[in-house]
Amino acid sequence: DADVTQTPRNRITKTGKRIMLECSQTKGHDRMYWYRQDPGLGLRLIYYSFDVKDINKGEISDGYSVSRQAQAKFSLSLESAIPNQTALYFCATSDFGGFADTQYFGPGTRLTVL
Amino acid sequence: AQSVTQLDSHVSVSEGTPVLLRCNYSSSYSPSLFWYVQHPNKGLQLLLKYTSAATLVKGINGFEAEFKKSETSFHLTKPSAHMSDAAEYFCVVSESGSGYSTLTFGKGTMLLVSP
């Protein structure tokens, strides 16, 4: 079984709808991250969490919110989806969060907002 | 602030020929540097990372990269390309800050391998 799982894998929704993307991990890591990937732009950090009580905004947090329900679960919400939030979303985890630490990525969720 | 520039958006090679994917970085501190690979419809997989130890880093699937501080470069190479190497490659920089790290990704280089 994969160490980092994301659900759903694909989602099509309409403008204005509330959407939640979920991430679960079995690696036992404290740190979790949400990124979005747009063609030609690489990955950009949306939010990150060091533990259940510590959540931080990343580079592009506007229009998004997150919830860290447990060490193993980190959800990303789009309160009112808009078309320019159409992207590939990745969850990642890391152990210590130090600058040399490796982040492990889930398979991604492809979100389309019509 | 840290940044990464991948110098080529696309690189095309023939199977069996060498691969060179170029990456330059900017960092205020001694950085860690990573190369990740993304195969179609897959997540990102770590190829290799540099963490201030040996400047020549060997990774999986025959890839290696050399950290050159004087040139602020971290180019990825492979002596002989295989069809399965066709994917998108991301150069990533991380630097320490208040006990945590965030990654800054390059925009990616698509590697195309022809028979």
Side-chain angles (χ1 to χ4, degrees), chain B residues 8-61:
Chain B
D8 306 290
S9 60
H10 293 79
V11 170
S12 295
V13 300
S14 298
E15 191 174 21
T17 64
V19 175
L20 170 64
L21 305 184
R22 300 181 295 165
C23 172
N24 288 122
Y25 71 91
S26 174
S27 174
S28 302
Y29 306 97
S30 295
S32 284
L33 293 156
F34 306 77
W35 277 98
Y36 280 86
V37 60
Q38 183 181 25
H39 287 94
N41 301 312
K42 300 288 187 182
L44 280 80
Q45 180 185 20
L46 180 70
L47 273 180
L48 50 82
K49 70 177 181 181
Y50 165 77
T51 58
S52 76
T55 56
L56 182 62
V57 183
K58 294 186 183 299
I60 61 172
N61 300 332

Side-chain angles (χ1 to χ4, degrees), chain B:
Chain B
Q2 57 196 29
S3 66
V4 175
T5 302
Q6 292 184 242
L7 299 169
D8 306 290
S9 60
H10 293 79
V11 170
S12 295
V13 300
S14 298
E15 191 174 21
T17 64
V19 175
L20 170 64
L21 305 184
R22 300 181 295 165
C23 172
N24 288 122
Y25 71 91
S26 174
S27 174
S28 302
Y29 306 97
S30 295
S32 284
L33 293 156
F34 306 77
W35 277 98
Y36 280 86
V37 60
Q38 183 181 25
H39 287 94
N41 301 312
K42 300 288 187 182
L44 280 80
Q45 180 185 20
L46 180 70
L47 273 180
L48 50 82
K49 70 177 181 181
Y50 165 77
T51 58
S52 76
T55 56
L56 182 62
V57 183
K58 294 186 183 299
I60 61 172
N61 300 332
F63 285 94
E64 64 181 36
E66 186 171 9
F67 174 73
K68 292 187 176 180
K69 186 175 181 179
S70 61
E71 299 176 9
T72 60
S73 69
F74 190 57
H75 301 333
L76 182 70
T77 60
K78 182 174 181 178
S80 176
H82 191 273
M83 295 295 291
S84 61
D85 295 328
E88 189 162 23
Y89 293 78
F90 294 95
C91 183
V92 183
V93 64
S94 173
E95 61 183 25
S96 61
S98 303
Y100 64 90
S101 72
T102 58
L103 303 183
T104 299
F105 283 76
K107 295 183 178 181
T109 297
M110 186 68 71
L111 177 64
L112 307 171
V113 183
S114 57

Side-chain angles (χ1 to χ4, degrees), chain A residues 14-84:
Chain A
K14 295 182 178 180
T15 297
K17 294 291 188 180
R18 184 177 188 273
I19 295 297
M20 178 179 286
L21 310 183
E22 298 185 337
C23 176
S24 295
Q25 52 111 349
T26 58
K27 298 186 77 67
H29 290 167
D30 286 328
R31 272 72 172 179
M32 298 187 73
Y33 310 80
W34 275 105
Y35 293 89
R36 67 176 278 175
Q37 183 183 24
D38 299 280
L41 294 181
L43 275 72
R44 292 178 291 166
L45 183 63
I46 305 172
Y47 270 95
Y48 57 104
S49 170
F50 294 149
D51 62 36
V52 174
K53 297 181 180 179
D54 188 356
I55 293 176
N56 304 275
K57 293 182 177 181
E59 178 186 354
I60 54 164
S61 59
D62 287 348
Y64 301 94
S65 63
V66 291
S67 173
R68 185 80 183 268
Q69 301 95 324
Q71 186 205 35
K73 296 184 181 296
F74 192 35
S75 300
L76 176 73
S77 294
L78 287 67
E79 299 300 328
S80 179
I82 56 177
N84 76 0

